[in-house]
Amino acid sequence: MFRSKRSALVRRLWRCRVGASPADPHGDSKNSNESEIEKEFKATAQSFLKRLKESQLEQLVEAVESNGGDHTDCVLFPQGEIRLGRRTVDPQVLCCQLFRWPDVKHVGELKRLHFNCKSSRASGDDTNSGHVCCNPYHLSRLCRPESPPPPYSRYPFKRPQEEDEGTPKEGVSASPSSNMERRESTETGNTPTERQEPYAHHSDAEDGETQHRRHWCNVAYWENRTRVGRMYTVFNDHVNIFLELPHGNGFCLGLLHRDNRSEPVLRTRMKIGCGLTLSLESDGVWAYNRSNYALFVNSLTLNWPPSRTFRVSRIEPGFSLKIYDFAKSKLLELDKREPQPPDGPINTRSIQISFIKGWGPRYSRQFITSCPCWLEVILSPQR
């Protein structure tokens, strides 16, 4: 009659696993169609959950049921491979197979989110006193390398005529802020290095910390050709960009007001959800897609310099991508042989990120200013 709290937590986790069937809530079905591999996986997963303490099960349930929307604690497990039939699997990989990506096979396909995972920050790597964090939402998948696009020209399109007086001209790679920023600064008093505005959601502790930090980037939010709100200045090593509170501290797009939004913009905004996290790391700037829809991104270091092709990379939900590579950026700065493009100079430290809708030669939208909702990230000079 009386079921333990531990048993209830295990049942809740088992119902949340990827591909869970309502007819098989406990994983005890005698389905003859199941392969031996599936049966071995279920047995290993159940054995893994039994080895977790009740407090760890509670933390895992919180993480899985919130789908990563809430900040959750680490779930530490003894480091070492777990026997899975004739094979072995890392515990963090097993957790990801259970609750996020059943097709992930190796720890090399995963990237730890150091801004979420306290265990990695404390130890400097993925381990902590012989333990590894198995919270699946402290990990992301690495974007697979894309095959080179066809040899189309990087600048095949002529610059369109200005629609009205004062409308910025758009180009394939030109940064909108490079032409508009000076004019808007004169009109509104806004500068790219302003402190965080009232629509930025952050704690009092962060306010005190940022007083002595130097910002590493500014983020502007755009809807088609119009920039909405002022630039958001980033001081911490990572920043969440999302639609509505309380999806984390950072840049809340839901608090940016604008009259007469078009229907495509409204539809796209409703899908932003948890958005993304930008993270400043030693090798470059990484983007982690926290939403349920794809992101599209372009920067100078994502292009193919030898063939001068323009590349827009896709970041699927739950995936991470290095969107700006510091080493590659230095090499490009040293190479002065490349002439200026015909449509003007490029801001080499600018990154464009579009929500839901892609742009470029592979898509119907040729320019990012045709995308309903997008971001421009302008990096500060390297320290």
Side-chain angles (χ1 to χ4, degrees):
M1 292 178 60
F2 302 100
R3 296 178 177 177
S4 68
K5 180 179 179 181
R6 179 186 181 84
S7 299
L9 291 171
V10 171
R11 284 195 302 275
R12 286 168 65 183
L13 283 171
W14 200 253
R15 286 194 295 266
C16 290
R17 75 189 191 278
V18 177
S21 170
D24 181 24
H26 307 295
D28 297 329
S29 72
K30 306 299 181 182
N31 187 353
S32 58
N33 294 327
E34 281 188 352
S35 66
E36 287 298 321
I37 294 178
E38 291 171 337
K39 292 177 181 178
E40 289 175 352
F41 178 75
K42 281 188 174 183
T44 303
Q46 289 175 332
S47 174
F48 168 78
L49 294 177
K50 289 178 181 179
R51 294 174 62 181
L52 295 177
K53 298 177 181 178
E54 188 174 297
S55 60
Q56 294 175 307
L57 290 172
E58 289 179 336
Q59 293 164 358
L60 192 55
V61 166
E62 183 183 356
V64 172
E65 290 186 344
S66 70
N67 291 320
D70 299 330
H71 176 75
T72 52
D73 294 328
C74 295
V75 179
L76 297 179
F77 191 83
Q79 189 180 16
E81 295 180 330
I82 301 173
R83 176 67 60 179
L84 179 57
R86 298 179 181 179
R87 302 176 292 113
T88 58
V89 63
D90 291 284
Q92 64 269 43
V93 174
L94 178 63
C95 254
C96 289
Q97 291 174 341
L98 269 174
F99 302 114
R100 298 196 72 181
W101 309 292
D103 59 330
V104 67
K105 300 185 184 302
H106 191 268
V107 70
E109 300 175 45
L110 302 173
K111 173 178 171 58
R112 189 162 298 282
L113 302 174
H114 296 283
F115 48 84
N116 276 346
C117 190
K118 294 180 180 178
S119 66
S120 64
R121 290 202 300 267
S123 62
D125 53 26
D126 290 350
T127 62
N128 184 20
S129 301
H131 290 72
V132 64
C133 176
C134 295
N135 187 331
Y137 288 95
H138 286 189
L139 295 156
S140 68
R141 292 192 72 172
L142 287 167
C143 288
R144 296 176 180 175
E146 297 181 10
S147 57
Y152 45 73
S153 170
R154 181 177 177 185
Y155 306 104
F157 308 105
K158 293 182 179 180
R159 184 187 304 167
Q161 296 296 322
E162 293 182 343
E163 295 180 357
D164 51 35
E165 186 177 356
T167 300
K169 298 179 180 179
E170 68 180 1
V172 174
S173 298
S175 167
S177 68
S178 60
N179 296 325
M180 300 178 65
E181 194 172 289
R182 186 178 299 106
R183 184 180 71 251
E184 295 190 8
S185 297
T186 303
E187 295 173 354
T188 67
N190 177 37
T191 59
T193 56
E194 255 183 296
R195 296 285 177 179
Q196 283 134 330
E197 301 300 328
Y199 55 75
H201 176 64
H202 48 87
S203 65
D204 294 338
E206 287 179 332
D207 285 338
E209 291 176 1
T210 58
Q211 296 296 325
H212 305 289
R213 292 188 182 183
R214 178 186 175 190
H215 72 281
W216 64 272
C217 78
N218 295 284
V219 183
Y221 169 66
W222 294 73
E223 292 174 357
N224 297 121
R225 287 173 172 265
T226 303
R227 199 181 84 183
V228 182
R230 296 183 177 182
M231 280 187 147
Y232 181 87
T233 304
V234 181
F235 296 89
N236 295 327
D237 288 342
H238 70 278
V239 60
N240 297 318
I241 303 172
F242 48 89
L243 182 67
E244 295 178 351
L245 303 175
H247 289 315
N249 296 333
F251 191 5
C252 180
L253 304 180
L255 298 180
L256 300 179
H257 298 289
R258 180 191 173 195
D259 295 331
N260 302 321
R261 282 191 167 103
S262 66
E263 189 63 30
V265 169
L266 291 173
R267 287 198 304 267
T268 302
R269 279 174 62 86
M270 293 302 296
K271 296 178 181 179
I272 291 175
C274 294
L276 72 151
T277 299
L278 296 176
S279 175
L280 175 65
E281 302 187 17
S282 59
D283 59 345
V285 178
W286 287 78
Y288 167 53
N289 187 353
R290 302 176 67 214
S291 74
N292 295 323
Y293 298 89
L295 300 173
F296 299 85
V297 60
N298 170 259
S299 75
L300 185 68
T301 66
L302 286 177
N303 292 332
W304 301 87
S307 57
R308 292 180 59 79
T309 53
F310 178 78
R311 177 185 178 190
V312 176
S313 298
R314 181 186 180 105
I315 309 177
E316 295 290 349
F319 279 67
S320 289
L321 176 68
K322 188 197 298 183
I323 60 176
Y324 197 88
D325 188 311
F326 290 152
K328 190 173 181 181
S329 172
K330 289 182 179 179
L331 290 176
L332 292 172
E333 289 176 2
L334 292 173
D335 186 4
K336 303 297 185 182
R337 293 172 297 175
E338 186 175 353
Q340 290 288 352
D343 49 359
I346 299 173
N347 185 346
T348 59
R349 304 191 65 79
S350 174
I351 305 167
Q352 293 83 41
I353 304 173
S354 174
F355 295 100
I356 322 299
K357 304 296 184 181
W359 84 97
R362 296 184 180 182
Y363 302 93
S364 60
R365 298 169 181 82
Q366 300 300 326
F367 308 101
I368 194 169
T369 49
S370 300
C371 296
C373 304
W374 56 282
L375 303 170
E376 184 179 23
V377 182
I378 303 174
L379 302 180
S380 302
Q382 294 184 34
R383 302 171 221 181

